[in-house]
Amino acid sequence: MTGRVLLLVPTTSYRIGDFLAAADRLGIDVAVGSNQRQVLEQFSKGRTVTLDFNNVDKGVAEVIAYNETYPITAIIGVDDETTLIAARAAKALNLVHNSQESIETARNKYRFRTRLANSGLLAPRFTLQPVEADPIEASVLVNYPVVLKPLALSASRGVIRANEPSEFVAAFERIKTILNKADIDENATGHILIEDYIPGDEVALEGLLDGGNLTILALFDKPNPLVGPYFEETLYITPSRLSPCVQKDIATAVSRAVAALGLRHGPIHAELRINDRGVWLIEVAARSIGGLCSRVLSFGPNGSLEDLILKHALGQPNPRPALDCSASGVMMMPIPAAGVLRQVLGLEDARALAMIDDVTLSIPLGATLVPLPEGNRYLGFIFASGDTPAAVEATLRDAYNFLEFVIEAEENSPTN
């Protein structure tokens, strides 16, 4: 199957460059659908379409109108906020797609928990509170520790652990403020999810679904403890150092989860925790890994992760891909403090280390930094590859230790 692939990408995404590079390598005709026209002027006529991502009905209608002039063969929702429009537009155009219900369930943390609670998979206790609820009253109804979450924000934004009632109240009020400022569907701003904290090691799984069948592309260890109060991800290392038995349990759990959700097609990104009770699903997203993290995944003659996703969307065969290096990893550089980024020192020293493939900044000098839980960006990414996961992890830590971030305090910045 050949034809034009429409990539739905918010202007805040890191991903578009890598998808366009993959399309160029493969000779695939792509167009970009985004929510702001001015950043798309570099592309030729017909290669872009401006869409309303906040109004799904309108966004779908805009895709359908675009298709009348520039026929589409496949639609890929690259980030969380575009997966629903992608599914609905693909259905309207009779293209391969996930169901609207499956996408809505995966995107909404409460619906996700509710669906998995009846699946037989391990799941924490959880409850839902309206943002208008009295947090003091709500704080005495839970068993600590708990994690409070918005229903739809990504990148751990607004996710806060509370160990006792006063922390619960503070977290509840802070999330409420975040939701008041968030540019998301109003249906996701009226409630806060509270669930039992799940201890254990965390991993991430990258996969592709074909007719509901899961192909695992990579399993990442997250060696830095994610214990809260915020849950900023830093290190991703593959292949996983977990035992083959545990990795098999992870694969089984994810396969059962996507079946319970009803997801059947395209990329998935799953987050899980492992402890002495077994495998626990944190989330399953109907899109590929975020940020620039996909750059650690190279599949030899099969290309990059974006190559695989584009070929899959067009129904082209993807022989079971294997990573082409012994070990690789990425460090997502966390924002250490609020303020204005004035300088980054030590970049050349970090880049000069053996096994370091690249160090790239994703926030320009002079930009205002917002840490978690309010923020949802990283300072940049460090990439490494080597003979073993342990060596890659050590190199990433060494490279990060070379870096010094000069941040100028700014009045009224969010506090940690």
Side-chain angles (χ1 to χ4, degrees):
M1 182 189 297
T2 61
R4 177 168 294 188
V5 178
L6 180 62
L7 303 170
L8 302 188
V9 191
T11 55
T12 55
S13 175
Y14 298 104
R15 304 295 309 284
I16 187 59
D18 290 342
F19 269 102
L20 292 177
D24 185 61
R25 283 192 299 271
L26 296 169
I28 291 175
D29 185 10
V30 297
V32 178
S34 196
N35 51 340
Q36 291 185 25
R37 182 176 299 276
Q38 61 268 26
V39 299
L40 305 174
E41 292 174 353
Q42 60 182 304
F43 304 110
S44 59
K45 184 177 180 181
R47 300 298 175 185
T48 67
V49 55
T50 303
L51 307 172
D52 190 333
F53 289 163
N54 292 323
N55 184 325
V56 176
D57 290 337
K58 184 178 178 183
V60 170
E62 290 165 336
V63 173
I64 294 171
Y66 173 83
N67 179 74
E68 292 175 359
T69 305
Y70 305 100
I72 301 165
T73 303
I75 303 174
I76 298 173
V78 173
D79 291 71
D80 284 318
E81 66 188 273
T82 63
T83 53
L84 181 57
I85 290 179
R88 285 189 48 185
K91 180 181 179 181
L93 298 176
N94 199 30
L95 305 176
V96 178
H97 63 283
N98 284 307
S99 69
Q100 176 176 337
E101 181 187 11
S102 68
I103 295 294
E104 289 177 334
T105 303
R107 291 177 71 210
N108 184 291
K109 293 179 175 66
Y110 177 68
R111 293 184 63 172
F112 173 81
R113 280 286 171 232
T114 301
R115 183 63 59 85
L116 290 196
N118 300 314
S119 69
L121 292 165
L122 290 173
R125 291 171 297 185
F126 63 95
T127 186
L128 194 66
Q129 288 287 349
V131 293
E132 296 84 5
D134 183 341
I136 296 176
E137 293 182 2
S139 70
V140 301
L141 301 177
V142 300
N143 295 307
Y144 293 95
V146 294
V147 177
L148 294 83
K149 301 179 177 181
L151 299 189
L153 297 180
S154 59
S156 299
R157 186 180 176 198
V159 180
I160 306 175
R161 173 175 169 167
N163 298 311
E164 44 87 15
S166 66
E167 292 182 1
F168 181 103
V169 173
F172 194 98
E173 295 292 354
R174 196 163 183 179
I175 296 171
K176 185 175 179 179
T177 299
I178 292 170
L179 289 173
N180 285 337
K181 299 177 181 179
D183 184 20
I184 56 175
D185 188 330
E186 62 182 16
N187 293 327
T189 61
H191 292 82
I192 295 172
L193 178 67
I194 298 101
E195 62 184 38
D196 286 358
Y197 170 75
I198 304 169
D201 298 326
E202 190 159 318
V203 298
L205 181 146
E206 204 68 17
L208 274 175
L209 291 174
D210 188 359
N213 296 313
L214 174 65
T215 296
I216 296 175
L217 303 177
L219 182 63
F220 292 96
D221 290 335
K222 302 182 187 181
N224 277 350
L226 292 167
V227 297
Y230 317 125
F231 296 87
E232 189 162 43
E233 296 182 305
T234 49
L235 288 169
Y236 270 47
I237 310 293
T238 192
S240 173
R241 285 166 276 185
L242 293 172
S243 71
C245 181
V246 173
Q247 293 192 41
K248 183 179 179 181
D249 290 343
I250 290 169
T252 299
V254 174
S255 294
R256 290 176 60 187
V258 296
L261 295 169
L263 294 170
R264 296 186 55 79
H265 177 75
I268 63 156
H269 177 77
E271 306 277 348
L272 309 96
R273 288 216 166 185
I274 319 299
N275 59 30
D276 56 4
R277 291 188 58 192
V279 176
W280 303 70
L281 269 296
I282 303 298
E283 69 171 35
V284 177
R287 44 97 181 149
S288 56
I289 193 169
L292 298 179
C293 297
S294 68
R295 293 183 183 179
V296 304
L297 301 178
S298 176
F299 299 93
N302 292 305
S304 68
L305 177 62
E306 289 77 17
D307 289 67
L308 297 183
I309 292 170
L310 286 168
K311 288 188 289 185
H312 179 78
L314 289 174
Q316 297 178 7
N318 263 326
R320 189 170 184 89
L323 294 170
D324 67 355
C325 64
S326 299
S328 60
V330 58
M331 172 172 275
M332 294 163 274
M333 293 185 273
I335 292 176
V340 178
L341 181 63
R342 293 302 183 194
Q343 197 173 5
V344 179
L345 306 174
L347 281 169
E348 294 310 312
D349 289 332
R351 288 171 176 147
L353 285 175
M355 296 194 293
I356 289 295
D357 298 318
D358 192 17
V359 181
T360 181
L361 298 179
S362 54
I363 296 180
L365 298 181
T368 298
L369 304 180
V370 182
L372 280 179
E374 285 78 13
N376 63 348
R377 301 185 67 190
Y378 292 93
L379 281 169
F381 301 83
I382 307 173
F383 304 94
S385 56
D387 293 333
T388 67
V392 168
E393 178 186 341
T395 299
L396 289 169
R397 293 188 188 279
D398 289 344
Y400 181 71
N401 287 336
F402 274 116
L403 303 179
E404 180 182 350
F405 304 100
V406 180
I407 300 171
E408 182 181 285
E410 187 176 50
E411 291 186 10
N412 302 320
S413 292
T415 57
N416 287 327

